Amino acid sequence: MGGIAEFRSVVLDCPDPRGLAEFYSQLLGWPITSAEDDWVVVSDGGPPRRLAFQLAPDHRAPTWPAPERPQQIHLDLKADDMDEAEARALKIGARKHEHQPSEDDSFRVFLDPAGHTFCLCRV
């Protein structure tokens, strides 16, 4: 079944595209494949696994779960060893969110350096 378009990227607005790209490059193990002052891309080289970071000087981080500025989008990332993944994510600049809604620890919620929500999920 063919679609109208083919998926290309997930793009995150942020105040520091290069810095956030470096964070996700370390988190995912993907190299930075394109970099300009206002647009930086990390990718594993194969579609559709590509994240782009776009300069948004007035970026305001989400306040999830508070409704003032909802998360609007978040990334779910698989991790074989949740404790190891958490420690490594924190070491490169992630922050563990105070709100952890998983009752069985099947996922853990974090914030990237720009305040976007992402989850480390059990495989």
Side-chain angles (χ1 to χ4, degrees), residues 78-95:
K78 294 190 304 183
D80 292 327
D81 182 324
M82 294 278 280
D83 293 331
E84 178 185 353
E86 177 176 326
R88 292 177 65 191
L90 294 173
K91 185 175 182 178
I92 64 170
R95 292 173 285 139

Side-chain angles (χ1 to χ4, degrees), residues 4 10-11 22 24 36 47 54-56 59-60 62-63 70-71 79 87 94 102-104 108 110 115 119:
I4 295 171
V10 171
V11 181
E22 288 172 355
Y24 278 100
E36 298 175 25
Q54 177 173 274
L55 178 63
H59 172 73
R60 294 175 50 206
T63 58
Q71 64 182 337
S102 176
E103 294 180 11
D104 62 355
R108 298 177 189 170
F110 297 85
C119 296

Side-chain angles (χ1 to χ4, degrees), residues 23-24 62 64 93-98 109-118:
F23 171 81
Y24 278 100
W64 177 86
R95 292 173 285 139
K96 192 168 186 179
H97 201 292
E98 62 187 39
V109 184
F110 297 85
L111 300 173
D112 71 20
H116 302 108
T117 309
F118 70 93

Side-chain angles (χ1 to χ4, degrees), residues 21-109:
E22 288 172 355
F23 171 81
Y24 278 100
S25 176
Q26 291 180 58
L27 186 67
L28 298 170
W30 297 354
I32 293 174
T33 58
S34 174
E36 298 175 25
D37 291 341
D38 61 351
W39 181 267
V40 182
V41 176
V42 298
S43 175
D44 75 342
R49 293 181 297 266
R50 173 182 146 121
L51 287 175
F53 308 93
Q54 177 173 274
L55 178 63
D58 296 329
H59 172 73
R60 294 175 50 206
T63 58
W64 177 86
E68 291 83 29
R69 289 190 310 272
Q71 64 182 337
Q72 299 176 6
I73 188 171
H74 76 273
L75 303 174
D76 282 346
L77 309 172
K78 294 190 304 183
D80 292 327
D81 182 324
M82 294 278 280
D83 293 331
E84 178 185 353
E86 177 176 326
R88 292 177 65 191
L90 294 173
K91 185 175 182 178
I92 64 170
R95 292 173 285 139
K96 192 168 186 179
H97 201 292
E98 62 187 39
H99 183 65
Q100 295 293 323
S102 176
E103 294 180 11
D104 62 355
D105 197 36
S106 61
F107 65 92
R108 298 177 189 170
V109 184

